[in-house]
Amino acid sequence: MMHLFKTNFIVFLLCICCLLCNCSQEEKKTETIIVDELLDVIKKNVNKDFEKAIMYSDQLISYALSKNDSLTVARAHLQKGIALTKKGNYQTAIDTLEKGLTFIKNKEVPEKNLFLLRIGNAYVLDEKNDEALVYYSRVYEDALLNNKKLDLVKAAINISKIKRNVGNHREALEDYKSFYKQSVSLNMEKTVIARTLLGICGTYLTLQQPDSALHYGQKGYKISKEIEDEVGVSYFHVDFGIAYYLKDNYTTSLSYLNKAKNYLENIKNPKRLAETLFYIGACQYRLKNYEQAITYLKEVLLVASQSEKVGNIEFKPLQLIDTYDFLSKSYIALGDAEQSRFYENERNNTEKVTDKKNNKINTKLLKNELQISEKVIANIRQTSNRYKLFLMLAGIVCMLSISLVIYYRKKAKTNRRTFEKLMQQQETEPSKPKPITIDDEKVALVLKKLHKIEAQAYYLDSNCSLANLAKKAKTNPTYLTKILKEAKGKTFYQYINELRINYAIERLKSDHQFRKYAIKHIALEVGYKSPESFTKHFKKATGINPSYYIKELEKHLQT
């Protein structure tokens, strides 16, 4: 009897344990459902109803804190930070994201890099590119060392955004297009692909290529519509407006810009709203509606002055310099010279500050990428496997390529200044033969023959040597050398090279087909036996390489 009682009691205890276990599992399932449902609602609203997204994020934070679920608290902060960023409250978004990051500080979870990227995005939108670079670089370094392909592409895309913002447009465009292909091949989120296309579109606009901008923009717009990303749609509306502005189609431009304006005013996004108002003002200026232009352009300044501030740092739109410029021009058109001078001064002062700031960020870009490479190399030294060795080589190549890019970027700026100076000299001070007065009849006769030989373009003959030229001029090499020195102030080689290079420059300017020749063939045409020799003498005469001169000349002649 006692034995039977014990057996029944044990069975009873087991049933109680099973019941409690089932209750615990049911409770966990219920918690999971609540969390998943709230996250789903937040994500649905994060691109269209920011207030709802923020409200539900706060509810999820409170619920997760009551359950001591730190990972869910972090995820809720992430979504709230995204909504605040899209709303335009950048500093509040940064504070929210930083707070959320503390809940996963010592955990290795995918969300960690998402937080860093989102903080970087908020800094970029707040015109603080150098701060953003710090966060993007942390993601880039982690992704490179730990083979996180998706994070690597995301970080690289965002670093391209900074390059574009500080004026490295060509480099940014190549990066964007490369990362767009990678994002598609890796089947990344559609939001990432759409934002990459937005970057390509915006960079083409900066490079004054509206047709290419519209081509890539339409692809991104289609994706944004598909995923119901109203923010993305409004951004593409702005870019389409800018594209049609560049195509001088101001009516179509205004239709897109006004659509964007209505939406951006509702969500109070100062960066995009300022950009939109600027281009509406610019369209009105082009349509000669100067008073309307002034109204919209002053609204740009108003948005800037009323936007969120941190300490004494004000929000300054990217178009601020051009805003002052158009205000100055509009007032001139209305005959108000005093107001025009005021805005001209504001423009000049802002330009100086902007140039200094961009130079600082360019330097940081180089230092930052070098530091990443050094950390990669240091990490590789601790291991001996092939994969780490590959990373080391990749880091070195990255470091060298970045250094070369910076070097050629500086060189390009120097070349550009030299080209512009050369064109200005050619347009304002056309070359004239130096008048020479010589009494000696024999010298005058030789010079007359030289003039005739020049007219026949004998200097283009690759066999044009001192001896052959002297023979044609009916004199001897020694006497010809002396005449060139005294009458023209040149040695034989200086004389011939000057004639050849001047001929090359003039023909390149006037002959479209000649500009299509390879440097090797141009060199042969003007008397040089090798392209290296031609390039050396061309650069010595002009300060730039012939290939660069031809490329810039094409642009110059088109404009």
Side-chain angles (χ1 to χ4, degrees):
M1 189 75 177
M2 192 68 178
H3 176 72
L4 182 62
F5 174 77
K6 286 181 179 178
T7 304
N8 289 337
F9 183 72
I10 291 169
V11 171
F12 174 74
L13 287 176
L14 286 171
C15 289
I16 293 295
C17 288
C18 288
L19 183 64
L20 290 172
C21 184
N22 286 335
C23 288
S24 176
Q25 287 176 352
E26 287 298 322
E27 188 178 346
K28 285 182 179 178
K29 283 181 182 177
T30 303
E31 287 177 15
T32 303
I33 290 169
I34 292 171
V35 169
D36 289 345
E37 284 182 351
L38 278 172
L39 276 172
D40 189 49
V41 172
I42 293 165
K43 288 177 181 178
K44 281 181 179 176
N45 284 286
V46 81
N47 286 321
K48 51 187 178 182
D49 193 333
F50 307 130
E51 297 303 333
K52 269 190 183 179
I54 293 166
M55 180 184 71
Y56 285 117
S57 295
D58 286 334
Q59 286 182 18
L60 184 55
I61 290 168
S62 298
Y63 178 80
L65 283 170
S66 70
K67 299 296 180 182
N68 201 25
D69 183 356
S70 59
L71 184 56
T72 299
V73 174
R75 287 172 176 167
H77 275 90
L78 177 63
Q79 296 303 320
K80 184 178 179 181
I82 293 170
L84 286 164
T85 301
K86 294 189 176 186
K87 190 180 175 185
N89 297 349
Y90 305 126
Q91 189 56 48
T92 309
I94 291 165
D95 294 339
T96 301
L97 292 164
E98 290 279 15
K99 186 176 179 180
L101 194 57
T102 61
F103 287 91
I104 54 170
K105 198 164 189 179
N106 299 318
K107 298 179 181 178
E108 282 303 319
V109 292
E111 282 82 0
K112 190 172 287 186
N113 279 344
L114 285 177
F115 270 98
L116 297 175
L117 288 170
R118 288 295 180 177
I119 293 169
N121 290 349
Y123 271 124
V124 165
L125 291 167
D126 204 21
E127 310 296 336
K128 296 172 184 173
N129 293 300
D130 45 355
E131 285 94 337
L133 185 60
V134 174
Y135 287 89
Y136 292 152
S137 301
R138 284 170 63 183
V139 178
Y140 188 90
E141 180 188 336
D142 173 68
L144 192 62
L145 291 173
N146 296 297
N147 195 29
K148 299 176 182 177
K149 291 181 180 178
L150 297 180
D151 285 354
L152 189 65
V153 173
K154 289 177 184 177
I157 289 170
N158 284 295
I159 290 172
S160 299
K161 184 162 51 182
I162 294 178
K163 290 178 181 178
R164 186 186 77 177
N165 287 352
V166 299
N168 305 335
H169 304 125
R170 294 282 178 190
E171 184 182 346
L173 180 62
E174 292 307 311
D175 289 350
Y176 268 134
K177 290 169 84 171
S178 171
F179 300 135
Y180 165 60
K181 290 178 182 176
Q182 289 181 48
S183 64
V184 172
S185 66
L186 291 169
N187 199 27
M188 295 176 74
E189 307 100 295
K190 289 185 177 181
T191 50
V192 174
I193 297 173
R195 286 301 192 271
T196 308
L197 286 163
L198 188 67
I200 296 173
C201 176
T203 309
Y204 268 122
L205 291 177
T206 308
L207 293 169
Q208 308 284 301
Q209 297 180 37
D211 290 325
S212 295
L214 288 169
H215 171 73
Y216 284 97
Q218 289 292 347
K219 290 183 178 182
Y221 176 78
K222 186 178 178 182
I223 295 172
S224 294
K225 286 283 284 184
E226 182 185 326
I227 61 177
E228 297 183 347
D229 181 1
E230 291 185 22
V231 178
V233 168
S234 72
Y235 286 4
F236 280 111
H237 278 155
V238 176
D239 283 355
F240 294 158
I242 297 170
Y244 283 106
Y245 170 82
L246 294 175
K247 289 166 72 69
D248 299 331
N249 188 341
Y250 305 122
T251 305
T252 306
S253 175
L254 284 169
S255 69
Y256 279 111
L257 293 169
N258 283 317
K259 283 181 189 175
K261 174 177 171 286
N262 294 335
Y263 179 76
L264 293 167
E265 282 177 336
N266 289 331
I267 66 171
K268 295 180 174 61
N269 185 318
K271 178 182 170 67
R272 278 293 185 168
L273 180 57
E275 183 179 33
T276 305
L277 290 167
F278 165 75
Y279 277 102
I280 292 175
C283 283
Q284 297 295 354
Y285 174 83
R286 297 297 183 194
L287 293 169
K288 298 185 179 179
N289 301 326
Y290 301 119
E291 290 181 353
Q292 289 185 50
I294 289 170
T295 300
Y296 283 106
L297 293 166
K298 282 189 173 180
E299 277 194 57
V300 175
L301 304 182
L302 188 63
V303 169
S305 67
Q306 292 180 345
S307 296
E308 182 180 4
K309 296 181 183 179
V310 183
N312 294 320
I313 301 173
E314 295 182 1
F315 161 65
K316 291 188 176 180
L318 288 172
Q319 299 78 23
L320 190 57
I321 292 172
D322 291 330
T323 300
Y324 288 134
D325 193 39
F326 272 106
L327 278 167
S328 176
K329 290 175 180 176
S330 296
Y331 275 112
I332 276 290
L334 292 173
D336 191 338
E338 185 178 349
Q339 282 293 308
S340 176
R341 278 195 299 273
F342 171 78
Y343 287 110
E344 180 67 21
N345 289 335
E346 290 293 309
R347 179 199 182 284
N348 293 337
N349 293 335
T350 306
E351 192 170 40
K352 288 175 186 175
V353 174
T354 304
D355 286 345
K356 192 179 291 185
K357 185 178 177 182
N358 285 350
N359 286 336
K360 178 184 173 185
I361 295 168
N362 270 322
T363 303
K364 284 194 175 185
L365 273 169
L366 173 61
K367 286 182 179 177
N368 180 69
E369 302 233 25
L370 290 177
Q371 285 170 0
I372 290 172
S373 299
E374 287 168 3
K375 286 180 181 178
V376 172
I377 294 168
N379 182 276
I380 291 162
R381 284 175 182 157
Q382 297 171 9
T383 62
S384 59
N385 61 61
R386 291 183 181 179
Y387 176 69
K388 295 296 181 181
L389 180 60
F390 169 77
L391 279 181
M392 180 183 72
L393 295 173
I396 292 170
V397 170
C398 176
M399 182 175 67
L400 291 173
S401 63
I402 295 289
S403 300
L404 285 171
V405 165
I406 296 296
Y407 167 76
Y408 283 113
R409 188 185 302 143
K410 289 180 179 177
K411 187 177 178 182
K413 286 182 179 177
T414 304
N415 285 341
R416 182 67 197 170
R417 285 195 294 268
T418 305
F419 173 81
E420 288 172 354
K421 187 177 178 182
L422 181 65
M423 293 306 301
Q424 190 176 9
Q425 288 174 348
Q426 290 174 359
E427 289 170 1
T428 58
E429 299 174 8
S431 57
K432 296 179 182 178
K434 188 177 178 181
I436 303 167
T437 305
I438 298 179
D439 295 331
D440 190 325
E441 288 184 9
K442 288 183 180 180
V443 172
L445 185 61
V446 170
L447 288 172
K448 187 176 179 181
K449 287 179 180 177
L450 278 178
H451 182 70
K452 186 177 179 182
I453 294 167
E454 286 175 18
Q456 296 168 347
Y458 174 63
Y459 54 85
L460 299 179
D461 192 328
S462 59
N463 294 316
C464 180
S465 63
L466 176 62
N468 289 339
L469 185 63
K471 190 174 181 181
K472 280 187 170 289
K474 307 295 183 184
T475 185
N476 60 66
T478 304
Y479 195 50
L480 179 58
T481 301
K482 187 176 179 182
I483 290 173
L484 289 172
K485 189 71 176 173
E486 292 180 0
K488 295 184 177 288
K490 299 179 181 70
T491 64
F492 166 75
Y493 291 107
Q494 288 172 335
Y495 168 70
I496 292 298
N497 285 321
E498 183 182 277
L499 289 171
R500 287 174 174 174
I501 298 304
N502 285 343
Y503 173 85
I505 289 172
E506 290 303 317
R507 188 168 171 192
L508 286 168
K509 286 169 67 177
S510 61
D511 188 342
H512 174 70
Q513 196 61 37
F514 192 59
R515 292 195 293 274
K516 293 182 179 180
Y517 284 16
I519 298 299
K520 176 183 177 182
H521 297 131
I522 293 174
L524 292 172
E525 282 279 322
V526 299
Y528 291 99
K529 293 180 179 179
S530 73
E532 292 80 13
S533 181
F534 169 62
T535 299
K536 181 182 79 172
H537 290 296
F538 191 97
K539 187 171 184 180
K540 187 176 180 181
T542 63
I544 52 179
N545 286 327
S547 56
Y548 181 84
Y549 175 83
I550 294 166
K551 182 179 74 174
E552 292 301 313
L553 183 61
E554 284 284 3
K555 294 180 190 175
H556 179 78
L557 292 173
Q558 285 173 9
T559 56

